[in-house]
Amino acid sequence: MFALVVRFDLHDEDAALAFDALVARTAPGIRDLEPGTLVYATHGVEGDPLARVFYEVYADRAAFEAHEQQPHVKAFLTERGQYLASTRVEFLTDGPAKGLPDGARG
């Protein structure tokens, strides 16, 4: 199991709308073409309309690295920067969980 949480803080409302559209274009490729991506959940933050949080769980580090090499993900990584005021990435360790496949706890 390999998991991470990413927080994106966006420049302004226009940037937030454009970022959300970019995520909407990227998500189908992740869902349909990445069997090693077990969970890819994107969220807004209550009370902070310019923040987004992604929770990502991969079968293993190799699945994460394969995710990063996908054309739809490379396009996302290239385009997202123009919308961001800051980014914070936290890699997670195993812990008790519900809802994740056996062997994928984090």
XYZ file of all heavy atoms in Angstrom:
820
model
N 0.846 -1.178 0.000
C 0.000 0.000 0.000
C 0.886 1.233 0.000
O 1.910 1.256 0.648
C -0.875 -0.040 1.251
C -2.014 0.927 1.331
S -1.706 2.655 1.748
C -0.781 2.594 3.238
N 0.475 2.215 -0.762
C 1.173 3.496 -0.830
C 0.095 4.563 -0.883
O -0.778 4.515 -1.750
C 2.052 3.541 -2.087
C 2.911 4.749 -2.172
C 4.097 4.825 -1.460
C 2.542 5.828 -2.956
C 4.909 5.952 -1.532
C 3.337 6.959 -3.041
C 4.526 7.016 -2.329
N 0.107 5.490 0.072
C -0.971 6.481 0.149
C -0.420 7.865 0.432
O 0.650 8.014 1.035
C -1.966 6.086 1.238
N -1.172 8.862 -0.011
C -0.791 10.240 0.241
C -2.019 11.127 0.267
O -3.084 10.759 -0.226
C 0.195 10.744 -0.810
C -0.269 10.737 -2.265
C 0.170 12.011 -2.950
C 0.342 9.544 -2.967
N -1.833 12.292 0.875
C -2.831 13.353 0.894
C -2.154 14.594 0.328
O -1.012 14.901 0.683
C -3.335 13.638 2.320
C -4.259 14.842 2.346
C -4.038 12.422 2.888
N -2.847 15.276 -0.572
C -2.320 16.506 -1.160
C -3.326 17.621 -0.928
O -4.522 17.443 -1.183
C -2.070 16.353 -2.677
C -1.422 17.608 -3.239
C -1.236 15.119 -2.974
N -2.836 18.744 -0.437
C -3.686 19.932 -0.298
C -3.207 20.960 -1.315
O -2.019 21.286 -1.380
C -3.612 20.527 1.102
C -4.493 21.791 1.196
C -4.434 22.437 2.548
N -5.075 23.743 2.497
C -6.136 24.068 3.212
N -6.686 23.197 4.029
N -6.650 25.281 3.127
N -4.160 21.449 -2.093
C -3.905 22.513 -3.058
C -4.637 23.764 -2.588
O -5.834 23.707 -2.301
C -4.444 22.135 -4.442
C -3.823 20.904 -5.033
C -4.522 19.707 -5.061
C -2.552 20.942 -5.585
C -3.965 18.573 -5.625
C -1.989 19.811 -6.152
C -2.700 18.622 -6.167
N -3.939 24.870 -2.505
C -4.562 26.163 -2.246
C -4.480 26.963 -3.537
O -3.397 27.104 -4.127
C -3.860 26.880 -1.092
C -4.138 26.182 0.227
O -5.315 26.147 0.625
O -3.188 25.657 0.840
N -5.627 27.467 -3.984
C -5.744 28.096 -5.291
C -5.685 29.611 -5.179
O -6.001 30.183 -4.128
C -7.033 27.621 -5.951
C -7.069 26.079 -6.031
C -8.469 25.575 -6.161
C -6.174 25.585 -7.133
N -5.273 30.259 -6.268
C -5.076 31.716 -6.261
C -6.352 32.500 -5.971
O -6.353 33.425 -5.163
C -4.529 32.193 -7.612
C -3.112 31.822 -7.858
N -2.076 32.241 -7.067
C -2.556 31.066 -8.841
C -0.942 31.764 -7.535
N -1.203 31.043 -8.608
N -7.435 32.148 -6.669
C -8.670 32.921 -6.567
C -9.818 32.075 -7.116
O -9.612 30.918 -7.495
C -8.542 34.262 -7.309
C -8.116 34.113 -8.764
O -8.470 33.091 -9.418
O -7.421 35.015 -9.263
N -11.003 32.653 -7.159
C -12.177 31.898 -7.615
C -12.050 31.425 -9.062
O -12.464 30.307 -9.386
C -13.441 32.735 -7.440
C -13.833 32.938 -5.992
C -15.087 33.789 -5.833
O -15.820 33.969 -6.827
O -15.318 34.277 -4.719
N -11.498 32.260 -9.931
C -11.311 31.847 -11.324
C -10.353 30.666 -11.413
O -10.580 29.716 -12.178
C -10.807 33.010 -12.181
C -11.870 34.079 -12.398
O -13.074 33.773 -12.280
O -11.481 35.233 -12.689
N -9.287 30.726 -10.645
C -8.326 29.620 -10.617
C -8.985 28.357 -10.084
O -8.739 27.253 -10.588
C -7.110 29.993 -9.772
N -9.836 28.495 -9.077
C -10.536 27.338 -8.515
C -11.440 26.688 -9.556
O -11.468 25.460 -9.685
C -11.333 27.744 -7.281
N -12.157 27.492 -10.311
C -13.027 26.946 -11.365
C -12.214 26.223 -12.437
O -12.583 25.130 -12.880
C -13.855 28.056 -11.993
C -14.961 28.642 -11.114
C -15.568 29.883 -11.776
C -16.025 27.596 -10.843
N -11.120 26.822 -12.855
C -10.274 26.210 -13.879
C -9.616 24.929 -13.351
O -9.526 23.927 -14.068
C -9.224 27.204 -14.355
N -9.166 24.950 -12.107
C -8.567 23.767 -11.495
C -9.593 22.636 -11.418
O -9.287 21.488 -11.765
C -8.036 24.111 -10.104
C -7.362 22.956 -9.405
C -6.041 22.649 -9.672
C -8.054 22.197 -8.480
C -5.412 21.593 -9.024
C -7.438 21.137 -7.826
C -6.112 20.832 -8.104
N -10.800 22.953 -10.994
C -11.848 21.935 -10.912
C -12.160 21.340 -12.287
O -12.401 20.137 -12.407
C -13.110 22.519 -10.284
C -12.933 22.850 -8.807
O -11.960 22.382 -8.172
O -13.787 23.603 -8.275
N -12.140 22.157 -13.315
C -12.363 21.659 -14.675
C -11.220 20.737 -15.097
O -11.452 19.702 -15.738
C -12.515 22.825 -15.647
N -10.005 21.105 -14.736
C -8.844 20.261 -15.039
C -8.969 18.910 -14.328
O -8.722 17.855 -14.931
C -7.561 20.985 -14.613
C -6.261 20.202 -14.732
C -5.991 19.813 -16.183
C -5.113 21.025 -14.151
N -9.363 18.924 -13.082
C -9.564 17.675 -12.334
C -10.651 16.832 -13.004
O -10.488 15.617 -13.170
C -9.914 17.968 -10.859
C -10.323 16.690 -10.128
C -8.739 18.638 -10.155
N -11.732 17.451 -13.412
C -12.825 16.728 -14.068
C -12.363 16.078 -15.375
O -12.821 14.987 -15.720
C -13.997 17.667 -14.324
N -11.452 16.729 -16.090
C -10.909 16.146 -17.328
C -9.937 15.008 -17.041
O -9.802 14.085 -17.843
C -10.188 17.211 -18.158
C -11.095 18.221 -18.801
C -10.378 19.071 -19.848
N -9.161 19.719 -19.391
C -9.094 20.910 -18.786
N -10.209 21.582 -18.528
N -7.934 21.427 -18.441
N -9.250 15.058 -15.927
C -8.219 14.084 -15.584
C -8.799 12.824 -14.949
O -8.306 11.713 -15.189
C -7.198 14.726 -14.624
O -6.695 15.929 -15.208
C -6.040 13.786 -14.324
N -9.818 12.972 -14.139
C -10.353 11.863 -13.340
C -10.778 10.635 -14.147
O -10.504 9.511 -13.716
C -11.502 12.353 -12.465
N -11.422 10.769 -15.310
C -11.817 9.560 -16.037
C -10.631 8.672 -16.421
O -10.737 7.441 -16.362
C -12.534 10.101 -17.276
C -13.068 11.429 -16.837
C -12.001 11.979 -15.930
N -9.517 9.260 -16.798
C -8.340 8.459 -17.126
C -7.820 7.699 -15.920
O -7.408 6.538 -16.025
N -7.833 8.355 -14.770
C -7.389 7.688 -13.542
C -8.330 6.532 -13.224
O -7.901 5.412 -12.941
C -7.316 8.700 -12.383
C -6.221 9.734 -12.664
C -7.078 7.979 -11.050
C -6.238 10.934 -11.748
N -9.615 6.796 -13.283
C -10.625 5.778 -12.962
C -10.575 4.594 -13.934
O -10.609 3.435 -13.528
C -12.014 6.419 -12.978
C -13.142 5.471 -12.609
C -14.508 6.160 -12.629
N -14.750 6.847 -13.895
C -14.852 8.183 -14.021
N -14.758 8.969 -12.976
N -15.074 8.733 -15.203
N -10.456 4.873 -15.217
C -10.615 3.838 -16.232
C -9.318 3.138 -16.644
O -9.367 2.017 -17.143
C -11.259 4.440 -17.485
C -12.653 4.989 -17.217
O -13.291 4.575 -16.217
O -13.096 5.853 -17.990
N -8.173 3.781 -16.457
C -6.925 3.263 -17.017
C -5.862 2.885 -15.985
O -4.769 2.491 -16.377
C -6.330 4.307 -17.982
C -7.237 4.732 -19.134
C -6.615 5.878 -19.908
C -7.532 3.544 -20.043
N -6.172 3.007 -14.704
C -5.160 2.780 -13.677
C -5.633 1.747 -12.650
O -6.107 2.103 -11.576
C -4.821 4.099 -12.972
C -4.248 5.146 -13.887
C -3.843 6.406 -13.142
O -3.583 6.341 -11.921
O -3.786 7.464 -13.785
N -5.473 0.462 -12.950
C -5.926 -0.558 -12.004
C -5.186 -0.528 -10.662
O -5.739 -0.945 -9.639
C -5.692 -1.877 -12.741
C -4.676 -1.557 -13.783
C -4.905 -0.116 -14.164
N -3.979 -0.009 -10.632
C -3.225 0.070 -9.384
C -3.591 1.246 -8.516
O -3.140 1.352 -7.372
N -4.421 2.160 -9.042
C -4.925 3.276 -8.237
C -6.203 2.787 -7.569
O -7.233 2.612 -8.214
C -5.194 4.511 -9.113
O -3.983 4.883 -9.767
C -5.704 5.676 -8.279
N -6.123 2.546 -6.257
C -7.235 1.947 -5.525
C -8.258 2.978 -5.072
O -9.452 2.721 -5.091
C -6.692 1.184 -4.311
C -5.635 0.123 -4.630
C -5.139 -0.521 -3.345
C -6.152 -0.903 -5.616
N -7.785 4.149 -4.651
C -8.653 5.252 -4.229
C -8.046 6.535 -4.774
O -6.840 6.766 -4.631
C -8.753 5.358 -2.690
C -9.578 6.575 -2.279
C -9.310 4.087 -2.074
N -8.866 7.352 -5.405
C -8.445 8.684 -5.846
C -9.638 9.593 -5.599
O -10.541 9.699 -6.422
C -8.049 8.687 -7.329
C -7.266 9.902 -7.732
C -5.885 9.913 -7.651
C -7.909 11.049 -8.178
C -5.154 11.031 -8.013
C -7.191 12.170 -8.544
C -5.818 12.157 -8.469
O -5.089 13.271 -8.826
N -9.658 10.185 -4.424
C -10.802 10.986 -4.003
C -10.386 12.445 -3.911
O -9.369 12.765 -3.300
C -11.310 10.496 -2.655
N -11.182 13.317 -4.533
C -10.911 14.749 -4.498
C -12.019 15.438 -3.720
O -13.187 15.057 -3.818
C -10.810 15.331 -5.917
O -12.079 15.226 -6.560
C -9.768 14.588 -6.745
N -11.630 16.445 -2.936
C -12.592 17.108 -2.063
C -12.350 18.610 -2.036
O -11.202 19.056 -2.105
C -12.438 16.608 -0.616
C -12.553 15.136 -0.462
N -13.765 14.501 -0.328
C -11.615 14.157 -0.431
C -13.568 13.197 -0.211
N -12.270 12.969 -0.278
N -13.430 19.362 -1.880
C -13.330 20.742 -1.464
C -13.213 20.765 0.048
O -13.409 19.743 0.715
N -12.890 21.926 0.598
C -12.729 22.064 2.043
C -13.813 22.999 2.560
O -13.892 24.159 2.124
C -11.325 22.605 2.395
C -11.191 22.835 3.895
C -10.244 21.642 1.886
N -14.633 22.507 3.460
C -15.704 23.317 4.032
C -15.121 24.570 4.684
O -14.159 24.501 5.460
C -16.479 22.508 5.070
C -17.714 23.208 5.565
C -18.562 22.320 6.457
O -18.602 21.093 6.239
O -19.196 22.874 7.368
N -15.654 25.714 4.326
C -15.199 26.980 4.899
C -13.964 27.566 4.243
O -13.505 28.636 4.642
N -13.412 26.874 3.248
C -12.220 27.365 2.549
C -12.402 27.098 1.052
O -11.915 26.096 0.527
C -10.960 26.682 3.082
C -9.687 27.365 2.618
O -9.754 28.211 1.695
O -8.622 27.051 3.168
N -13.131 27.980 0.350
C -13.503 27.713 -1.041
C -12.334 27.669 -2.021
O -12.508 27.234 -3.153
C -14.462 28.856 -1.381
C -14.122 29.938 -0.425
C -13.667 29.255 0.832
N -11.156 28.072 -1.595
C -9.995 28.034 -2.487
C -9.065 26.864 -2.184
O -7.957 26.797 -2.714
C -9.215 29.354 -2.402
C -10.007 30.592 -2.817
C -9.121 31.827 -2.715
C -10.583 30.449 -4.223
N -9.522 25.912 -1.375
C -8.707 24.749 -1.032
C -9.319 23.473 -1.597
O -10.541 23.326 -1.654
C -8.559 24.634 0.477
N -8.442 22.568 -1.995
C -8.844 21.234 -2.441
C -7.917 20.231 -1.762
O -6.729 20.495 -1.587
C -8.720 21.071 -3.965
C -9.501 22.090 -4.777
C -10.997 21.921 -4.614
N -11.748 22.851 -5.439
C -12.126 24.064 -5.059
N -11.806 24.536 -3.856
N -12.827 24.832 -5.858
N -8.466 19.057 -1.423
C -7.675 17.989 -0.818
C -7.907 16.718 -1.625
O -9.054 16.362 -1.916
C -8.064 17.769 0.661
C -7.335 16.561 1.238
C -7.755 19.020 1.475
N -6.818 16.058 -1.972
C -6.884 14.776 -2.674
C -6.391 13.694 -1.721
O -5.372 13.868 -1.052
C -5.970 14.766 -3.906
C -6.421 15.616 -5.051
C -7.378 16.611 -4.926
C -5.852 15.426 -6.288
C -7.768 17.383 -6.004
C -6.226 16.196 -7.372
C -7.187 17.177 -7.241
N -7.094 12.575 -1.673
C -6.686 11.394 -0.922
C -6.458 10.298 -1.948
O -7.367 9.972 -2.729
C -7.776 11.002 0.086
C -7.494 9.705 0.810
C -6.368 9.557 1.612
C -8.361 8.629 0.708
C -6.121 8.370 2.281
C -8.126 7.442 1.374
C -7.001 7.317 2.157
O -6.749 6.140 2.811
N -5.246 9.755 -1.966
C -4.856 8.795 -2.996
C -4.277 7.540 -2.356
O -3.401 7.636 -1.500
C -3.815 9.419 -3.928
C -4.263 10.742 -4.524
C -3.175 11.438 -5.333
O -2.306 10.736 -5.897
O -3.195 12.680 -5.387
N -4.758 6.375 -2.788
C -4.241 5.099 -2.316
C -3.904 4.254 -3.539
O -4.737 4.081 -4.438
C -5.259 4.346 -1.425
C -4.682 3.014 -0.957
C -5.675 5.197 -0.236
N -2.692 3.732 -3.536
C -2.190 2.912 -4.629
C -1.834 1.521 -4.105
O -1.526 1.361 -2.918
C -0.943 3.565 -5.254
C -1.260 4.936 -5.797
C -1.159 6.065 -4.990
C -1.721 5.097 -7.094
C -1.487 7.324 -5.459
C -2.059 6.357 -7.576
C -1.936 7.462 -6.756
O -2.282 8.702 -7.222
N -1.866 0.538 -4.971
C -1.537 -0.830 -4.571
C -0.130 -0.894 -3.981
O 0.116 -1.633 -3.033
C -1.665 -1.772 -5.760
N 0.783 -0.109 -4.534
C 2.158 -0.062 -4.055
C 2.844 1.137 -4.700
O 2.228 1.866 -5.477
C 2.904 -1.368 -4.364
C 2.794 -1.795 -5.820
O 2.649 -0.925 -6.714
O 2.829 -3.006 -6.079
N 4.105 1.335 -4.364
C 4.834 2.483 -4.906
C 4.940 2.405 -6.429
O 4.868 3.424 -7.115
C 6.217 2.599 -4.288
C 6.881 3.914 -4.681
C 8.251 4.047 -4.109
N 8.658 5.110 -3.280
C 8.299 6.383 -3.256
N 7.324 6.811 -3.988
N 8.845 7.259 -2.474
N 5.077 1.205 -6.970
C 5.151 1.043 -8.427
C 3.864 1.525 -9.098
O 3.908 2.136 -10.171
C 5.438 -0.413 -8.787
N 2.714 1.268 -8.476
C 1.438 1.743 -9.033
C 1.377 3.263 -9.000
O 0.871 3.891 -9.944
C 0.269 1.138 -8.261
N 1.888 3.878 -7.936
C 1.954 5.337 -7.869
C 2.853 5.878 -8.976
O 2.500 6.841 -9.669
C 2.455 5.787 -6.498
C 2.789 7.250 -6.432
C 1.790 8.209 -6.435
C 4.102 7.675 -6.377
C 2.089 9.568 -6.385
C 4.423 9.021 -6.315
C 3.415 9.971 -6.328
N 4.008 5.269 -9.154
C 4.931 5.723 -10.200
C 4.322 5.544 -11.588
O 4.490 6.403 -12.457
C 6.264 4.998 -10.058
C 7.007 5.440 -8.804
C 8.235 4.614 -8.471
O 8.582 3.687 -9.236
O 8.841 4.899 -7.419
N 3.569 4.454 -11.796
C 2.866 4.257 -13.074
C 1.811 5.344 -13.265
O 1.649 5.868 -14.381
C 2.231 2.865 -13.118
N 1.102 5.700 -12.197
C 0.119 6.786 -12.235
C 0.781 8.082 -12.707
O 0.256 8.776 -13.585
C -0.486 6.958 -10.838
C -1.158 8.254 -10.587
N -2.426 8.542 -11.030
C -0.736 9.357 -9.911
C -2.762 9.763 -10.642
N -1.749 10.286 -9.964
N 1.924 8.408 -12.131
C 2.628 9.649 -12.458
C 3.086 9.704 -13.915
O 3.307 10.791 -14.448
C 3.844 9.813 -11.535
C 3.485 10.014 -10.076
C 3.047 11.427 -9.762
O 3.876 12.341 -9.875
O 1.868 11.605 -9.405
N 3.207 8.557 -14.566
C 3.683 8.502 -15.950
C 2.559 8.496 -16.988
O 2.825 8.570 -18.187
C 4.570 7.264 -16.148
C 5.860 7.328 -15.350
C 6.656 8.595 -15.633
O 6.894 8.945 -16.789
N 7.066 9.292 -14.589
N 1.317 8.441 -16.546
C 0.192 8.413 -17.481
C 0.054 9.761 -18.189
O 0.225 10.811 -17.572
C -1.103 8.096 -16.737
C -1.130 6.727 -16.102
C -1.020 5.625 -17.129
O -1.697 5.637 -18.155
N -0.152 4.668 -16.857
N -0.274 9.764 -19.481
C -0.416 11.028 -20.210
C -1.424 11.980 -19.570
O -1.181 13.187 -19.510
C -0.870 10.591 -21.606
C -0.400 9.184 -21.744
C -0.438 8.602 -20.364
N -2.556 11.469 -19.082
C -3.557 12.350 -18.470
C -3.030 12.961 -17.172
O -3.356 14.101 -16.850
C -4.882 11.607 -18.242
C -4.751 10.313 -17.518
N -4.484 9.130 -18.173
C -4.826 10.001 -16.200
C -4.411 8.145 -17.286
N -4.608 8.657 -16.076
N -2.206 12.244 -16.437
C -1.634 12.773 -15.195
C -0.524 13.767 -15.516
O -0.429 14.833 -14.888
C -1.128 11.637 -14.289
C -0.401 12.193 -13.064
C -2.301 10.748 -13.853
N 0.301 13.457 -16.501
C 1.350 14.406 -16.902
C 0.732 15.733 -17.343
O 1.251 16.805 -17.014
C 2.218 13.809 -18.006
C 3.185 12.766 -17.508
C 4.085 12.314 -18.636
C 5.181 11.414 -18.136
N 6.140 11.082 -19.188
N -0.364 15.670 -18.075
C -1.040 16.900 -18.499
C -1.544 17.666 -17.276
O -1.399 18.899 -17.205
C -2.193 16.570 -19.447
N -2.125 16.963 -16.308
C -2.587 17.601 -15.074
C -1.427 18.267 -14.342
O -1.524 19.426 -13.924
C -3.258 16.566 -14.169
C -3.602 17.091 -12.802
C -4.737 17.846 -12.597
C -2.776 16.829 -11.715
C -5.052 18.341 -11.337
C -3.074 17.315 -10.457
C -4.214 18.067 -10.267
N -0.329 17.548 -14.183
C 0.825 18.074 -13.454
C 1.404 19.308 -14.141
O 1.844 20.246 -13.462
C 1.897 16.988 -13.304
C 1.503 15.775 -12.456
C 2.589 14.710 -12.528
C 1.199 16.165 -11.030
N 1.381 19.324 -15.461
C 1.900 20.473 -16.211
C 0.985 21.686 -16.085
O 1.449 22.803 -15.862
C 2.060 20.094 -17.702
O 3.009 19.035 -17.801
C 2.521 21.278 -18.522
N -0.311 21.472 -16.186
C -1.263 22.587 -16.230
C -1.610 23.156 -14.855
O -1.898 24.349 -14.724
C -2.548 22.144 -16.937
C -3.484 23.292 -17.228
C -4.709 22.896 -18.035
O -4.665 21.866 -18.744
O -5.721 23.616 -17.940
N -1.584 22.363 -13.817
C -2.084 22.785 -12.503
C -1.344 23.977 -11.896
O -1.937 24.768 -11.169
C -2.068 21.628 -11.521
C -0.661 21.255 -11.098
C -0.611 20.122 -10.138
N 0.785 19.906 -9.758
C 1.182 18.993 -8.922
N 0.313 18.188 -8.364
N 2.461 18.874 -8.637
N -0.068 24.105 -12.166
C 0.755 25.120 -11.517
C 0.233 26.536 -11.651
O 0.357 27.337 -10.719
N -0.367 26.858 -12.780
C -0.859 28.222 -13.003
C -1.999 28.603 -12.066
O -2.284 29.784 -11.881
C -1.282 28.386 -14.452
C -2.455 27.510 -14.849
C -2.735 27.542 -16.319
O -2.841 28.625 -16.903
N -2.831 26.371 -16.940
N -2.642 27.617 -11.456
C -3.788 27.877 -10.589
C -3.442 27.889 -9.101
O -4.258 28.292 -8.277
C -4.868 26.813 -10.820
C -5.230 26.627 -12.267
C -5.128 25.383 -12.879
C -5.653 27.706 -13.039
C -5.449 25.213 -14.213
C -5.974 27.541 -14.377
C -5.861 26.294 -14.953
O -6.179 26.119 -16.274
N -2.235 27.439 -8.758
C -1.895 27.148 -7.368
C -1.165 28.278 -6.659
O -0.193 28.831 -7.181
C -1.027 25.896 -7.300
C -1.632 24.623 -7.899
C -0.635 23.483 -7.815
C -2.933 24.272 -7.201
N -1.611 28.570 -5.447
C -0.872 29.455 -4.548
C 0.112 28.632 -3.723
O 1.213 29.088 -3.432
C -1.833 30.204 -3.632
N -0.283 27.392 -3.370
C 0.611 26.505 -2.629
C 0.114 25.071 -2.731
O -1.054 24.820 -3.056
C 0.716 26.919 -1.160
O -0.522 26.732 -0.507
N 1.023 24.148 -2.443
C 0.719 22.717 -2.437
C 1.409 22.090 -1.239
O 2.555 22.441 -0.931
C 1.244 22.035 -3.719
O 0.689 22.681 -4.852
C 0.894 20.558 -3.754
N 0.730 21.167 -0.605
C 1.341 20.410 0.494
C 1.050 18.934 0.256
O -0.121 18.547 0.107
C 0.773 20.848 1.831
C 1.346 20.070 3.000
C 0.798 20.549 4.315
N 1.240 19.671 5.376
C 1.312 20.039 6.629
N 0.958 21.256 6.985
N 1.723 19.193 7.542
N 2.101 18.119 0.221
C 1.980 16.682 0.018
C 2.422 15.972 1.289
O 3.486 16.284 1.835
C 2.851 16.203 -1.161
C 2.736 14.695 -1.348
C 2.479 16.939 -2.438
N 1.606 15.035 1.751
C 1.954 14.223 2.912
C 1.809 12.753 2.536
O 0.734 12.312 2.119
C 1.058 14.558 4.104
C 1.263 15.974 4.596
C 0.379 16.340 5.769
O -0.755 15.823 5.844
O 0.831 17.144 6.592
N 2.908 12.005 2.660
C 2.885 10.571 2.417
C 2.480 9.882 3.716
O 2.931 10.264 4.796
C 4.249 10.099 1.913
C 4.577 10.677 0.570
C 5.355 11.827 0.457
C 4.072 10.112 -0.584
C 5.641 12.376 -0.777
C 4.341 10.662 -1.831
C 5.130 11.794 -1.923
N 1.608 8.897 3.622
C 0.982 8.284 4.790
C 1.605 6.922 5.101
O 2.116 6.250 4.218
C -0.517 8.127 4.541
C -1.250 9.407 4.115
C -2.710 9.099 3.816
C -1.119 10.485 5.170
N 1.498 6.516 6.366
C 1.927 5.190 6.788
C 0.694 4.352 7.094
O -0.409 4.873 7.257
C 2.835 5.272 8.032
O 2.113 5.904 9.091
C 4.102 6.063 7.733
N 0.884 3.044 7.197
C -0.217 2.127 7.476
C -0.858 2.418 8.824
O -0.187 2.834 9.771
C 0.281 0.684 7.484
C 0.625 0.181 6.101
O 0.337 0.885 5.131
O 1.173 -0.927 6.005
N -2.152 2.167 8.906
C -2.904 2.298 10.140
C -4.251 1.631 9.982
O -4.610 1.190 8.887
N -5.008 1.519 11.057
C -6.340 0.896 10.960
C -7.200 1.625 9.932
O -7.122 2.843 9.798
C -6.909 1.066 12.374
C -5.710 1.247 13.251
C -4.693 1.972 12.406
N -7.999 0.864 9.205
C -8.819 1.459 8.152
C -10.079 0.639 7.929
O -10.133 -0.535 8.262
C -8.016 1.538 6.850
N -11.048 1.286 7.342
C -12.253 0.619 6.861
C -12.448 1.046 5.416
O -12.261 2.209 5.077
C -13.464 1.047 7.683
C -14.763 0.452 7.166
C -15.963 0.949 7.945
C -17.225 0.375 7.316
N -18.420 0.893 7.955
N -12.822 0.119 4.564
C -13.152 0.476 3.201
C -12.015 0.337 2.205
O -12.214 0.580 1.024
N -10.844 -0.027 2.672
C -9.727 -0.239 1.754
C -9.545 -1.744 1.552
O -9.801 -2.518 2.464
C -8.435 0.371 2.308
C -8.434 1.882 2.456
C -7.132 2.348 3.104
C -8.612 2.557 1.114
N -9.084 -2.140 0.365
C -8.861 -3.579 0.127
C -7.849 -4.131 1.124
O -6.994 -3.407 1.629
C -8.289 -3.619 -1.285
C -8.668 -2.319 -1.903
C -8.774 -1.316 -0.786
N -7.952 -5.435 1.406
C -6.966 -6.087 2.278
C -5.574 -5.812 1.744
O -5.339 -5.843 0.533
C -7.202 -7.588 2.338
C -8.441 -7.947 3.135
O -8.899 -7.107 3.926
O -8.946 -9.060 2.960
N -4.660 -5.500 2.635
C -3.302 -5.196 2.240
C -3.125 -3.743 1.841
O -2.024 -3.335 1.500
N -4.169 -2.946 1.849
C -4.065 -1.529 1.498
C -4.643 -0.714 2.649
O -5.765 -0.265 2.604
C -4.808 -1.230 0.201
N -3.907 -0.576 3.673
C -4.355 0.162 4.853
C -3.497 1.404 5.019
O -2.285 1.320 5.009
C -4.234 -0.695 6.115
C -4.961 -2.020 6.022
C -6.442 -1.781 6.240
N -7.136 -3.046 6.284
C -8.078 -3.383 5.424
N -8.418 -2.604 4.446
N -8.697 -4.534 5.537
N -4.141 2.587 5.204
C -3.360 3.781 5.400
C -4.184 4.977 5.711
O -5.349 5.013 5.648
